[in-house]
Amino acid sequence: MSTKNINNKEPKITLVGAGPGDPELITMRGANALKSADVVLYDALVNEGVLDYANPEAIKVYVGKRSGEHSYSQDAVNKLMIDYALNYGHVVRLKGGDPFVFGRGYEELDFAAGYSIPVTVIPGLSSSISVPGLQQIPVTHRGLSESFWVVTGTTASGKISNDLYEAARSKATVVVLMGLGKLKEIVKLFQNEGKGQLPVAAIQSGSTQNEKLAIGVVDTIVETVEEKGIEAPALLIFGEVVSLHPSFQPIREFFNALKEDQ
């Protein structure tokens, strides 16, 4: 297969992480890649404001995946990426967060390698760290958490990840992506480990105008999420570090009062 298109542009692909949502949180290198792109393939979790960085003449193709609507399979995205690179030149594959944190970025990199098309990776701010940070919740903190887990809430089979069982037993901060639909089941894992009073946060659409926050403990977080109207996309944070958030103080005082009354 020819490695030059009719425009005599060498095909190349750049995997770019767009960050957690706010268009200003893409890296400068990612924005510069968009400026030089002939084609941009972007996902559902990418804020379309990020596309303002792209060349106005670039072809922009939505290849997102959302439940309940038509979506491209990963195989179809792979093939589109190659086809556009061979026919137009520089393709930016734009993904929410970081391409290699549950972004299937390596699958696309590996597929491109089969066609001898060079691929550059430009990391992005992963929502797993940046979204808690924007809420002033550190994923690690001296005396509270020495490590953190980043776990998918739902595997390809639709089940809870086995790693969540192990994570619930640890003292680490546990950040769960794509887990809102499994919240009741995940809560049960922590309750089974005697962690009903462990602080929890749920953050919807972090870093965007649609951001919502629910703070509670394992025993109350399901009800709190419902009261706050938290919807996907959202991430969950289980760990003592959540207690550092200012809005957790009233919750702490409430439980302290309960203990005094007992």
Side-chain angles (χ1 to χ4, degrees), residues 121-176:
V121 178
I122 300 178
L125 293 174
S126 171
S127 63
S128 60
I129 300 172
S130 59
V131 167
L134 288 167
Q135 281 289 343
Q136 301 180 37
I137 299 173
V139 292
T140 61
H141 184 70
R142 185 179 299 180
L144 290 182
S145 175
E146 297 177 354
S147 62
F148 63 94
W149 293 57
V150 180
V151 189
T152 180
T154 308
T155 64
S157 65
K159 298 180 180 179
I160 286 181
S161 168
N162 287 332
D163 287 346
L164 266 171
Y165 292 82
E166 297 297 327
R169 298 187 185 103
S170 77
K171 294 181 180 180
T173 303
V174 181
V175 181
V176 184

Side-chain angles (χ1 to χ4, degrees), residues 2-13 36-41 57-61 80-92 117:
S2 172
T3 58
K4 277 195 175 184
N5 55 43
I6 57 174
N7 297 319
N8 291 321
K9 289 186 177 181
E10 291 287 348
K12 66 176 182 176
I13 295 168
S36 68
D38 298 300
V39 180
V40 180
L41 304 180
E57 297 181 1
I59 299 169
K60 302 170 185 70
V61 183
L80 272 176
M81 184 177 64
I82 299 303
D83 184 59
Y84 276 115
L86 292 174
N87 285 284
Y88 291 90
H90 183 201
V91 172
V92 165
I117 296 176

Side-chain angles (χ1 to χ4, degrees), residues 180 183 200-202 212-231 247 251 255:
L180 190 65
L183 180 57
V200 187
K212 291 183 181 180
L213 171 70
I215 295 274
V217 296
V218 167
D219 285 343
T220 65
I221 194 61
V222 172
E223 291 77 11
T224 304
V225 161
E226 292 175 354
E227 290 171 4
K228 298 288 187 179
I230 303 294
E231 298 177 348
S247 65
I251 299 171
F255 282 111

Side-chain angles (χ1 to χ4, degrees), residues 174-194:
V174 181
V175 181
V176 184
L177 306 182
M178 300 169 287
L180 190 65
K182 299 285 187 180
L183 180 57
K184 291 182 180 179
E185 295 174 59
I186 295 169
V187 160
K188 191 67 176 177
L189 297 183
F190 284 88
Q191 288 173 330
N192 289 343
E193 299 299 326

Side-chain angles (χ1 to χ4, degrees), residues 54-72:
N55 181 342
E57 297 181 1
I59 299 169
K60 302 170 185 70
V61 183
Y62 173 76
V63 292
K65 303 178 183 68
R66 282 200 189 279
S67 60
E69 68 176 40
H70 171 74
S71 63
Y72 289 85

